[in-house]
Amino acid sequence: MLPGDQTAKGNFSSVMAFVLLGFSDLPNLQGFLFGLFFLIYIFILTGNGLIIIITRVDSVLQTPMYFFLANFSSLEICYVSVTLPRILVNIWTQGRSISLLSCATQMCFFLVLGATEAFLLVVMAYDRYVSFCNPLHYPLIMNHKMCIQLAAGAWLSGVPVQVAQTCQVFSLPFCASNQINHFFCDIPPLIKLACGDTSLNEVCVYAVAVLFAMISFLLILGSYVKIISTILRLPSATGRSKAFSTCSSHLIVVLLFFGSVTITYLRPKSNHSAGTDKMLSIFYTIVTPMFNPMIYSLRNKDVITALKKLLHKKTV
């Protein structure tokens, strides 16, 4: 009997724990997967940590764009830390049991931070929109107080909705199986385990996905349509090239994150398969945080210069 096996009585669930199957279907790759995920986690912590440090210590990077980038890097560290450490522990110990409370806590933080990422990407797009389309008023509009308010709004706006959604999912009776065929506690695999009518939960998932993902994506898309039209009117080819380089970095992250999230949460329950869900989840839980430091750093001369100055100070 697997840890956390449960029996259902009447109309309610007696589940005290779940079993995260994760990558147990790949028994010969457990050592490789542990090493791979461990290196990825270290890379994410180091890369995003360096962005936070250089945006704090380098005076050239004391601008709204880099303020939001530092927030984004902080978010990525928190976001990946909700799932990756648990994956590493499960692979290392082969103990896949997770308590009901731990599962609910993981899901809640994951959903809240996911909403924060969506809103923060919108804020970053708005910052670029003001910078390109209204440059003369940029310092006035994106003042320090406005930046703090926008960042705080991005971090906090999703909390009430996602806490409520977590409570709604965990109010469902789980009377079939307690084995979650996923590597963390996410909504689609948990709804699959619920017995009874889950149509209300599915409607809520769609509504929240549309609110946080689709609307956010459309706002970002609208911003960049106006930004690109402004860039195309620039007289200098060098100026156009530099502007496109800055914007394309943001758009790559946007497409990676929103593409995988939309497919995961807006597909009908009947179309969900464990393998596809895992693959898509890897994109928005691991791949995007991993590529963030590379996309924003390697394509940005100011960040590279600041990083070289920081490393030079450390070696002197």
Side-chain angles (χ1 to χ4, degrees), residues 126 230 246 253 292:
Y126 175 69
T230 302
T246 302
V253 175
N292 172 41

PDB file of all heavy atoms in Angstrom, residues 126 230 246 253 292:
ATOM      1  N   TYR A 126       4.010  47.827 -19.667  1.00  0.00           N
ATOM      2  CA  TYR A 126       3.539  49.214 -19.527  1.00  0.00           C
ATOM      3  C   TYR A 126       4.730  50.169 -19.395  1.00  0.00           C
ATOM      4  O   TYR A 126       4.739  51.249 -19.989  1.00  0.00           O
ATOM      5  CB  TYR A 126       2.623  49.337 -18.311  1.00  0.00           C
ATOM      6  CG  TYR A 126       2.195  50.756 -18.013  1.00  0.00           C
ATOM      7  CD1 TYR A 126       1.322  51.442 -18.859  1.00  0.00           C
ATOM      8  CD2 TYR A 126       2.686  51.424 -16.891  1.00  0.00           C
ATOM      9  CE1 TYR A 126       0.947  52.756 -18.598  1.00  0.00           C
ATOM     10  CE2 TYR A 126       2.306  52.735 -16.619  1.00  0.00           C
ATOM     11  CZ  TYR A 126       1.439  53.388 -17.474  1.00  0.00           C
ATOM     12  OH  TYR A 126       1.070  54.693 -17.206  1.00  0.00           O
ATOM     13  N   THR A 230       5.858  52.486 -32.984  1.00  0.00           N
ATOM     14  CA  THR A 230       6.705  53.643 -32.653  1.00  0.00           C
ATOM     15  C   THR A 230       8.144  53.398 -33.078  1.00  0.00           C
ATOM     16  O   THR A 230       8.803  54.284 -33.637  1.00  0.00           O
ATOM     17  CB  THR A 230       6.653  53.924 -31.134  1.00  0.00           C
ATOM     18  OG1 THR A 230       5.302  54.163 -30.733  1.00  0.00           O
ATOM     19  CG2 THR A 230       7.511  55.129 -30.773  1.00  0.00           C
ATOM     20  N   THR A 246      15.735  45.150 -27.041  1.00  0.00           N
ATOM     21  CA  THR A 246      15.187  45.287 -25.684  1.00  0.00           C
ATOM     22  C   THR A 246      13.801  44.665 -25.593  1.00  0.00           C
ATOM     23  O   THR A 246      13.494  43.917 -24.650  1.00  0.00           O
ATOM     24  CB  THR A 246      15.106  46.784 -25.299  1.00  0.00           C
ATOM     25  OG1 THR A 246      16.404  47.355 -25.391  1.00  0.00           O
ATOM     26  CG2 THR A 246      14.598  46.952 -23.878  1.00  0.00           C
ATOM     27  N   VAL A 253      10.045  35.908 -23.067  1.00  0.00           N
ATOM     28  CA  VAL A 253       9.578  35.445 -21.758  1.00  0.00           C
ATOM     29  C   VAL A 253       8.051  35.377 -21.732  1.00  0.00           C
ATOM     30  O   VAL A 253       7.459  34.416 -21.222  1.00  0.00           O
ATOM     31  CB  VAL A 253      10.090  36.383 -20.632  1.00  0.00           C
ATOM     32  CG1 VAL A 253       9.513  35.981 -19.283  1.00  0.00           C
ATOM     33  CG2 VAL A 253      11.609  36.357 -20.578  1.00  0.00           C
ATOM     34  N   ASN A 292      15.297  33.334 -17.886  1.00  0.00           N
ATOM     35  CA  ASN A 292      15.172  34.749 -17.538  1.00  0.00           C
ATOM     36  C   ASN A 292      16.518  35.463 -17.428  1.00  0.00           C
ATOM     37  O   ASN A 292      16.729  36.488 -18.085  1.00  0.00           O
ATOM     38  CB  ASN A 292      14.359  34.908 -16.249  1.00  0.00           C
ATOM     39  CG  ASN A 292      14.347  36.327 -15.728  1.00  0.00           C
ATOM     40  OD1 ASN A 292      14.239  37.277 -16.478  1.00  0.00           O
ATOM     41  ND2 ASN A 292      14.471  36.475 -14.423  1.00  0.00           N
TER      42      ASN A 292
END
